[in-house]
Every structure is written in C-alpha cells, then in structure tokens.
Amino acid sequence: LKKIWTQKIYKSIMRKESINMKYFIGADHAGIEIKSYVKELFEERGHEVVDLGPFSKDRVDYPDYASKVCKKVLEEQGTMGILICGSGLGMSMAANKFDGIRAALCHNEYSARMARKHNDANVICLGERVSGHGMIEAIIKSWDKTEFEGGRHSGRVEKINALGKIGSCRS
Ligand code: RB5
C-alpha cells in the first residue's frame, strides 16, 4: 500500500509540469487572430497573462508591441513575454534589441524546448501565418514544461546578456 501511495505522489509531482508564471502578451494585426487562443492556452496551464494589445484588427507596427511587452518583462522581474506577428520574425528581431530579453522564434516543439532548456529564453515569438492551432498548442506545451538546464549553458547565456552592454556597432 505504501508503495502505491509513493507512486501516486510521484506521478502527481511529475504531472505538475511547470510553475505558475506571469506573462505579458502582444501582437500585431497579423497575429491578432490567435492572440486570445494563445492567451487561453497559457491560462489553462495555470499562468497569468496580461494582454497589452492591440484590441482591434487595425494595422499596427510590430516593433511598438514588442516594445510594450519587453519593457514590462524587464520592469517586472521573473515575468515572461509572448509576441505574435505574421511570421514571428519581426517580433523576435525587435524584442532582441532589448538588453536582458532573450526572445526565441518558435515554429516547432523542438525549438520551443531548446529555447527554454539551453537559452533560458524569456520571450516566446510565434508566427500566426506559419503555425496552425495544433502546432501552436504543441509549441506552448513544449515551452511550458521545459526548464532551463543551467550548468554549461549558464555561462553562454551570461555571454549573450553581456553582448547587450557592448553597444552599437553601426557605421
Ligand atoms: C505584417 O504584414 C508582417 O510583416 C508582420 O506581421 C511580421 O510577419 C513581420 O515580421
């Protein structure tokens, strides 16, 4: 009987796939259709998601929403971001301009898992025109259940962070 209970407790601990987090979400007009679906998926997994817009389908510029989300993530320590545009590319490029943001464009489960496991990514970028609902769900599950491995990857992530302090190399 004791063995059965030990197994049950172990299984329930293993089922708890992630700790509850606070996320900020933003999109552009090409990512707005799936924004609420993505928000719900994170909420279903026990996370708090603060929607920073947009709230209409009017054309907007993705750097503006990347900026809103990244500023919040940097202001509130321990939070993460979700950014959606058509390809996910513009959002990830804009987000990675922010010192302290490690934004990962995830088009499949593997990249989502590695983004967390090796790169300790704190912003997930998705492309509404690239990934369908089923893939988005799989990506989020993969992202959410993976923790940063640390170890040899910590020094590399610190080196990424240090790059933000080097400054502009534009001619
Ligand atoms: C908008 O047309 C589109 O360019 C944008 O959503 C994104 O894909 C940019 O990278």
Side-chain angles (χ1 to χ4, degrees), residues 21-27 35 38-39 42 47-53 65-85 88 91-92 95-96 98 100-106 112 115-116 120-127 139-140 143-144:
M21 296 285 303
K22 180 172 180 181
Y23 281 88
F24 294 99
I25 191 170
K35 179 160 65 69
V38 169
K39 185 173 183 280
F42 274 92
H47 304 294
E48 179 190 353
V49 184
V50 179
D51 192 346
L52 299 179
Y65 286 87
S67 177
K68 280 179 201 281
V69 166
C70 292
K71 281 178 183 165
K72 281 286 186 189
V73 171
L74 293 171
E75 259 170 45
E76 282 189 44
Q77 222 194 345
T79 62
M80 291 206 198
I82 309 159
L83 290 169
I84 315 159
C85 64
M91 283 296 195
S92 57
N96 280 314
F98 287 80
I101 293 294
R102 290 176 305 282
L105 172 56
C106 299
R116 290 289 311 124
D120 197 20
N122 53 8
V123 172
I124 182 169
C125 300
L126 301 164
I139 289 168
I140 290 170
W143 165 278
D144 190 39

Side-chain angles (χ1 to χ4, degrees), residues 1-16:
L1 196 66
K2 198 180 163 195
K3 197 177 166 194
I4 293 169
W5 269 107
T6 311
Q7 279 173 353
K8 274 192 177 172
I9 292 165
Y10 177 75
K11 273 186 188 165
S12 82
I13 292 168
M14 293 311 280
R15 228 179 290 125
K16 171 100 191 69

Side-chain angles (χ1 to χ4, degrees), residues 28-31 59-60 62 84-91 129:
D28 73 354
H29 54 283
R59 280 180 186 279
V60 291
Y62 56 82
I84 315 159
C85 64
S87 62
L89 285 163
M91 283 296 195
R129 293 173 180 165

Side-chain angles (χ1 to χ4, degrees), residues 37 41 106-110 126 130-142:
Y37 174 65
L41 289 174
C106 299
H107 287 327
N108 54 51
E109 294 157 85
Y110 178 76
L126 301 164
V130 183
S131 310
H133 282 61
M135 181 52 81
I136 295 253
E137 190 179 351
I139 289 168
I140 290 170
K141 190 176 175 193
S142 192

